[in-house]
Amino acid sequence: MTIPNRNEIPKLLSAKKAIELIKSGDRVLVGGFGLCGTPLTCIDVITEQNQIRDLTIISNNLGEAGKGLGKLLLSRHIKKAIGSYFTSNRDAVLAWKQGLLEIEVIPQGTLAEAIRCGGAGIGGFYTKTAVGTLLSEGKEEKVINGERYILIESIRANVALIKAHKADTLGNLIYTKSARNFNPIMATAADLVIAEVDEIVMAGTLDPEHIVTPHSFVDILVLNERYAKVGGDYVEKPTNR
């Protein structure tokens, strides 16, 4: 296999340079389910600077205590979290109780569909999920064929931080198993898409049938140089930074 020279990858930036394109107060979609399929390098770099604050993070959850988005929570870069499952991180629950974090809970399937609609140019959709619960308060309700539905508006963001297994030099992406999760739909629903990948190969190397996210959706590639895959987990490499 021919390994591309860094100069042959026009979309490639260091994580530090890529993160400089995020602004304080931005809405940021972040891929991942727990720590699976999460752009860990990009998240770490955000925690190491002080210019980007008051972020609204849209993700399934906020990582784990001290890991993934859990690091970003502890560094106080997050103002609000929109997602489905925050109790997996005890620090998120504590921050909410202390008034340090705003939380908006959206059922998982509803979250995925809202992001998909955001990427497809659809303003919103009706769902029966959460009808009659606290999550339906303030939402438009409609009866369709005798069933109650609530209107959910689509979700878009200023930036999407996604994670893929492999990219080619054009930015076409492939994923690995469940690490795919929310990443492909998030790539369609943001003004700027930054994709962190483990490996970059020459254009034409990837099987077109395996490409999930076409390069036209990807603005920037960041190479994961901080984490090594050990078994099914990503472990931070020793560093002197």
Side-chain angles (χ1 to χ4, degrees), residues 18-37:
I19 293 310
E20 288 176 357
L21 299 173
I22 303 174
K23 301 184 296 295
S24 287
D26 272 354
R27 286 165 57 92
V28 184
L29 288 158
V30 182
F33 189 99
L35 298 176
C36 180

PDB file of all heavy atoms in Angstrom, residues 18-37:
ATOM      1  N   ALA A  18      -7.101  22.836  13.491  1.00  0.00           N
ATOM      2  CA  ALA A  18      -8.510  22.577  13.197  1.00  0.00           C
ATOM      3  C   ALA A  18      -9.414  23.171  14.269  1.00  0.00           C
ATOM      4  O   ALA A  18     -10.441  23.802  13.968  1.00  0.00           O
ATOM      5  CB  ALA A  18      -8.749  21.075  13.071  1.00  0.00           C
ATOM      6  N   ILE A  19      -9.037  23.008  15.517  1.00  0.00           N
ATOM      7  CA  ILE A  19      -9.859  23.477  16.623  1.00  0.00           C
ATOM      8  C   ILE A  19      -9.932  25.004  16.660  1.00  0.00           C
ATOM      9  O   ILE A  19     -10.912  25.573  17.140  1.00  0.00           O
ATOM     10  CB  ILE A  19      -9.303  22.920  17.957  1.00  0.00           C
ATOM     11  CG1 ILE A  19      -9.462  21.404  18.014  1.00  0.00           C
ATOM     12  CG2 ILE A  19      -9.990  23.559  19.155  1.00  0.00           C
ATOM     13  CD1 ILE A  19     -10.839  20.899  17.675  1.00  0.00           C
ATOM     14  N   GLU A  20      -8.934  25.674  16.115  1.00  0.00           N
ATOM     15  CA  GLU A  20      -8.950  27.138  16.082  1.00  0.00           C
ATOM     16  C   GLU A  20     -10.112  27.683  15.254  1.00  0.00           C
ATOM     17  O   GLU A  20     -10.455  28.861  15.359  1.00  0.00           O
ATOM     18  CB  GLU A  20      -7.626  27.662  15.521  1.00  0.00           C
ATOM     19  CG  GLU A  20      -6.453  27.500  16.486  1.00  0.00           C
ATOM     20  CD  GLU A  20      -5.128  27.932  15.869  1.00  0.00           C
ATOM     21  OE1 GLU A  20      -5.124  28.309  14.676  1.00  0.00           O
ATOM     22  OE2 GLU A  20      -4.105  27.885  16.583  1.00  0.00           O
ATOM     23  N   LEU A  21     -10.726  26.834  14.438  1.00  0.00           N
ATOM     24  CA  LEU A  21     -11.856  27.258  13.610  1.00  0.00           C
ATOM     25  C   LEU A  21     -13.181  27.244  14.370  1.00  0.00           C
ATOM     26  O   LEU A  21     -14.198  27.717  13.868  1.00  0.00           O
ATOM     27  CB  LEU A  21     -11.952  26.367  12.370  1.00  0.00           C
ATOM     28  CG  LEU A  21     -10.729  26.407  11.452  1.00  0.00           C
ATOM     29  CD1 LEU A  21     -10.847  25.364  10.346  1.00  0.00           C
ATOM     30  CD2 LEU A  21     -10.545  27.794  10.861  1.00  0.00           C
ATOM     31  N   ILE A  22     -13.171  26.689  15.576  1.00  0.00           N
ATOM     32  CA  ILE A  22     -14.357  26.704  16.434  1.00  0.00           C
ATOM     33  C   ILE A  22     -14.367  28.007  17.220  1.00  0.00           C
ATOM     34  O   ILE A  22     -13.323  28.493  17.652  1.00  0.00           O
ATOM     35  CB  ILE A  22     -14.351  25.497  17.390  1.00  0.00           C
ATOM     36  CG1 ILE A  22     -14.271  24.181  16.601  1.00  0.00           C
ATOM     37  CG2 ILE A  22     -15.593  25.507  18.276  1.00  0.00           C
ATOM     38  CD1 ILE A  22     -14.105  22.953  17.483  1.00  0.00           C
ATOM     39  N   LYS A  23     -15.543  28.586  17.405  1.00  0.00           N
ATOM     40  CA  LYS A  23     -15.658  29.846  18.126  1.00  0.00           C
ATOM     41  C   LYS A  23     -16.411  29.641  19.434  1.00  0.00           C
ATOM     42  O   LYS A  23     -17.248  28.733  19.561  1.00  0.00           O
ATOM     43  CB  LYS A  23     -16.386  30.889  17.274  1.00  0.00           C
ATOM     44  CG  LYS A  23     -15.720  31.191  15.938  1.00  0.00           C
ATOM     45  CD  LYS A  23     -16.431  32.298  15.185  1.00  0.00           C
ATOM     46  CE  LYS A  23     -17.854  31.926  14.792  1.00  0.00           C
ATOM     47  NZ  LYS A  23     -17.900  30.806  13.829  1.00  0.00           N
ATOM     48  N   SER A  24     -16.125  30.481  20.407  1.00  0.00           N
ATOM     49  CA  SER A  24     -16.861  30.457  21.668  1.00  0.00           C
ATOM     50  C   SER A  24     -18.348  30.627  21.384  1.00  0.00           C
ATOM     51  O   SER A  24     -18.743  31.437  20.546  1.00  0.00           O
ATOM     52  CB  SER A  24     -16.382  31.566  22.599  1.00  0.00           C
ATOM     53  OG  SER A  24     -15.117  31.273  23.137  1.00  0.00           O
ATOM     54  N   GLY A  25     -19.165  29.847  22.076  1.00  0.00           N
ATOM     55  CA  GLY A  25     -20.609  29.915  21.908  1.00  0.00           C
ATOM     56  C   GLY A  25     -21.147  29.059  20.782  1.00  0.00           C
ATOM     57  O   GLY A  25     -22.364  29.008  20.583  1.00  0.00           O
ATOM     58  N   ASP A  26     -20.276  28.371  20.038  1.00  0.00           N
ATOM     59  CA  ASP A  26     -20.733  27.531  18.928  1.00  0.00           C
ATOM     60  C   ASP A  26     -21.544  26.334  19.411  1.00  0.00           C
ATOM     61  O   ASP A  26     -21.352  25.841  20.533  1.00  0.00           O
ATOM     62  CB  ASP A  26     -19.538  26.999  18.125  1.00  0.00           C
ATOM     63  CG  ASP A  26     -19.112  27.953  17.015  1.00  0.00           C
ATOM     64  OD1 ASP A  26     -19.801  28.962  16.794  1.00  0.00           O
ATOM     65  OD2 ASP A  26     -18.078  27.686  16.373  1.00  0.00           O
ATOM     66  N   ARG A  27     -22.444  25.891  18.550  1.00  0.00           N
ATOM     67  CA  ARG A  27     -23.123  24.603  18.719  1.00  0.00           C
ATOM     68  C   ARG A  27     -22.269  23.555  18.010  1.00  0.00           C
ATOM     69  O   ARG A  27     -21.959  23.708  16.820  1.00  0.00           O
ATOM     70  CB  ARG A  27     -24.524  24.640  18.102  1.00  0.00           C
ATOM     71  CG  ARG A  27     -25.527  25.432  18.906  1.00  0.00           C
ATOM     72  CD  ARG A  27     -26.776  25.745  18.094  1.00  0.00           C
ATOM     73  NE  ARG A  27     -27.439  24.570  17.565  1.00  0.00           N
ATOM     74  CZ  ARG A  27     -28.420  23.901  18.177  1.00  0.00           C
ATOM     75  NH1 ARG A  27     -28.839  24.295  19.370  1.00  0.00           N
ATOM     76  NH2 ARG A  27     -29.002  22.858  17.604  1.00  0.00           N
ATOM     77  N   VAL A  28     -21.906  22.503  18.733  1.00  0.00           N
ATOM     78  CA  VAL A  28     -20.972  21.514  18.195  1.00  0.00           C
ATOM     79  C   VAL A  28     -21.566  20.109  18.313  1.00  0.00           C
ATOM     80  O   VAL A  28     -21.836  19.633  19.421  1.00  0.00           O
ATOM     81  CB  VAL A  28     -19.610  21.565  18.931  1.00  0.00           C
ATOM     82  CG1 VAL A  28     -18.626  20.590  18.287  1.00  0.00           C
ATOM     83  CG2 VAL A  28     -19.036  22.976  18.915  1.00  0.00           C
ATOM     84  N   LEU A  29     -21.774  19.469  17.178  1.00  0.00           N
ATOM     85  CA  LEU A  29     -22.143  18.057  17.159  1.00  0.00           C
ATOM     86  C   LEU A  29     -20.890  17.228  17.405  1.00  0.00           C
ATOM     87  O   LEU A  29     -19.850  17.469  16.782  1.00  0.00           O
ATOM     88  CB  LEU A  29     -22.740  17.689  15.797  1.00  0.00           C
ATOM     89  CG  LEU A  29     -24.134  18.216  15.472  1.00  0.00           C
ATOM     90  CD1 LEU A  29     -24.352  18.241  13.965  1.00  0.00           C
ATOM     91  CD2 LEU A  29     -25.196  17.361  16.156  1.00  0.00           C
ATOM     92  N   VAL A  30     -20.970  16.256  18.295  1.00  0.00           N
ATOM     93  CA  VAL A  30     -19.814  15.409  18.593  1.00  0.00           C
ATOM     94  C   VAL A  30     -20.235  13.946  18.506  1.00  0.00           C
ATOM     95  O   VAL A  30     -21.125  13.499  19.231  1.00  0.00           O
ATOM     96  CB  VAL A  30     -19.226  15.707  19.985  1.00  0.00           C
ATOM     97  CG1 VAL A  30     -17.987  14.840  20.229  1.00  0.00           C
ATOM     98  CG2 VAL A  30     -18.853  17.187  20.107  1.00  0.00           C
ATOM     99  N   GLY A  31     -19.601  13.208  17.613  1.00  0.00           N
ATOM    100  CA  GLY A  31     -19.928  11.798  17.443  1.00  0.00           C
ATOM    101  C   GLY A  31     -19.509  10.961  18.640  1.00  0.00           C
ATOM    102  O   GLY A  31     -18.686  11.358  19.452  1.00  0.00           O
ATOM    103  N   GLY A  32     -20.107   9.783  18.727  1.00  0.00           N
ATOM    104  CA  GLY A  32     -19.727   8.862  19.795  1.00  0.00           C
ATOM    105  C   GLY A  32     -20.915   8.304  20.540  1.00  0.00           C
ATOM    106  O   GLY A  32     -22.000   8.898  20.584  1.00  0.00           O
ATOM    107  N   PHE A  33     -20.675   7.155  21.130  1.00  0.00           N
ATOM    108  CA  PHE A  33     -21.652   6.492  21.982  1.00  0.00           C
ATOM    109  C   PHE A  33     -20.844   5.974  23.168  1.00  0.00           C
ATOM    110  O   PHE A  33     -20.112   5.013  23.046  1.00  0.00           O
ATOM    111  CB  PHE A  33     -22.318   5.342  21.227  1.00  0.00           C
ATOM    112  CG  PHE A  33     -23.484   4.731  21.945  1.00  0.00           C
ATOM    113  CD1 PHE A  33     -24.776   5.090  21.620  1.00  0.00           C
ATOM    114  CD2 PHE A  33     -23.283   3.807  22.958  1.00  0.00           C
ATOM    115  CE1 PHE A  33     -25.859   4.519  22.290  1.00  0.00           C
ATOM    116  CE2 PHE A  33     -24.353   3.235  23.625  1.00  0.00           C
ATOM    117  CZ  PHE A  33     -25.648   3.593  23.299  1.00  0.00           C
ATOM    118  N   GLY A  34     -20.931   6.688  24.296  1.00  0.00           N
ATOM    119  CA  GLY A  34     -19.957   6.445  25.355  1.00  0.00           C
ATOM    120  C   GLY A  34     -18.640   7.013  24.867  1.00  0.00           C
ATOM    121  O   GLY A  34     -18.526   8.198  24.558  1.00  0.00           O
ATOM    122  N   LEU A  35     -17.636   6.153  24.737  1.00  0.00           N
ATOM    123  CA  LEU A  35     -16.352   6.578  24.151  1.00  0.00           C
ATOM    124  C   LEU A  35     -16.144   5.970  22.771  1.00  0.00           C
ATOM    125  O   LEU A  35     -15.126   6.222  22.125  1.00  0.00           O
ATOM    126  CB  LEU A  35     -15.197   6.167  25.067  1.00  0.00           C
ATOM    127  CG  LEU A  35     -15.191   6.798  26.463  1.00  0.00           C
ATOM    128  CD1 LEU A  35     -14.043   6.235  27.296  1.00  0.00           C
ATOM    129  CD2 LEU A  35     -15.092   8.311  26.383  1.00  0.00           C
ATOM    130  N   CYS A  36     -17.097   5.188  22.313  1.00  0.00           N
ATOM    131  CA  CYS A  36     -16.970   4.483  21.030  1.00  0.00           C
ATOM    132  C   CYS A  36     -17.280   5.436  19.877  1.00  0.00           C
ATOM    133  O   CYS A  36     -18.351   6.041  19.835  1.00  0.00           O
ATOM    134  CB  CYS A  36     -17.930   3.300  21.015  1.00  0.00           C
ATOM    135  SG  CYS A  36     -17.889   2.322  19.517  1.00  0.00           S
ATOM    136  N   GLY A  37     -16.331   5.578  18.952  1.00  0.00           N
ATOM    137  CA  GLY A  37     -16.537   6.468  17.826  1.00  0.00           C
ATOM    138  C   GLY A  37     -16.482   7.930  18.201  1.00  0.00           C
ATOM    139  O   GLY A  37     -17.129   8.763  17.568  1.00  0.00           O
TER     140      GLY A  37
END
